[in-house]
Amino acid sequence: MFTGLIEACVPVTAIEPLGTGLRVTLRAPEGLFAAAKGQSIAVSGACLTHVGSETAGAPLVFELSEETLERTWFRALAPGKRVNLERALRLGDRLDGHLVAGHVDGAGRICAIEPWSDGGARLVVEVPAGFERYLLDKGSITIDGVSLTVVSPCERTFAVALIPLTLAKTTLGEARVGDLVNLEADMVGKWILSRSQG
């Protein structure tokens, strides 16, 4: 379980084919970002298992399955591309974002970025077919692992407001129109929707 509050942004350093999946190596985050082997880490919103060394300062290594590649934009990973990282919650941690499972529902596409005079921006995203049922005005959504609030949902698009700090501390500050992003709908909203349809 995660919160959608990003702890680090690091670049991909290596990618290797692994059967129908990929083995991806990331540069170790700076500071006190300890990662044990077998630990779950949200990588741009996708819950992945660290399979590399536990040595301090060692790179982070993940093995991506075909299912992960189908659900995310990770087929486009390349050395130098930066990703957002968040370690799993511990019981008793402060929940500042929203409850995030790290189970990506699909990849959306950025269709507009509107800079604001305060250094922030309005980001407009088009969602894959079927995802629009989860778009609730002022509801929570995760974009590439970042906890955000849905604004102005309209058919298959919605907007989010990005403050300068979010742009500076996450990969959304590097986003471009046309980029794919990992989306996870709010799990409480998904549960309520599933119960109302069942």
Side-chain angles (χ1 to χ4, degrees):
M1 195 67 69
F2 306 92
T3 67
L5 299 183
I6 303 306
E7 295 185 89
C9 292
V10 298
V12 174
T13 57
I15 299 175
E16 310 164 52
L18 187 68
T20 58
L22 292 175
R23 184 179 178 91
V24 177
T25 303
L26 309 178
R27 191 180 74 199
E30 296 178 3
L32 301 175
F33 192 104
K37 191 169 187 174
Q39 183 175 351
S40 293
I41 298 175
V43 178
S44 286
C47 179
L48 302 176
T49 302
H50 173 47
V51 299
S53 170
E54 297 185 28
T55 306
L60 299 176
V61 182
F62 303 94
E63 295 177 348
L64 281 58
S65 68
E66 186 173 12
E67 169 71 10
T68 298
L69 296 177
E70 289 297 324
R71 291 271 184 172
T72 66
W73 59 261
F74 288 163
R75 288 191 192 279
L77 280 172
K81 175 75 173 175
R82 294 199 324 147
V83 293
N84 296 320
L85 299 179
E86 181 192 352
R87 289 170 294 180
L89 271 173
R90 293 173 296 194
L91 287 176
D93 279 354
R94 185 184 300 276
L95 182 63
D96 287 332
H98 72 278
L99 290 174
V100 176
H103 301 160
V104 174
D105 294 304
R109 185 176 300 277
I110 296 173
C111 47
I113 302 172
E114 303 163 7
W116 286 340
S117 59
D118 67 355
R122 180 176 186 265
L123 191 76
V124 181
V125 178
E126 181 183 33
V127 303
F131 190 95
E132 65 272 17
R133 66 185 181 274
Y134 301 128
L135 298 178
L136 303 175
D137 194 33
K138 304 302 183 287
S140 296
I141 194 162
T142 308
I143 300 179
D144 271 356
V146 182
S147 174
L148 295 164
T149 302
V150 173
V151 178
S152 305
C154 180
E155 296 180 349
R156 286 181 52 197
T157 66
F158 72 97
V160 292
L162 303 175
I163 64 172
L165 182 66
T166 301
L167 293 172
K169 295 292 187 180
T170 75
T171 59
L172 295 180
E174 304 162 7
R176 300 290 178 266
V177 171
D179 284 355
L180 293 175
V181 288
N182 293 329
L183 300 175
E184 182 186 332
D186 178 66
M187 66 171 61
V188 175
K190 285 192 288 189
W191 183 83
I192 292 171
L193 184 61
S194 71
R195 299 300 294 171
S196 66
Q197 294 175 341

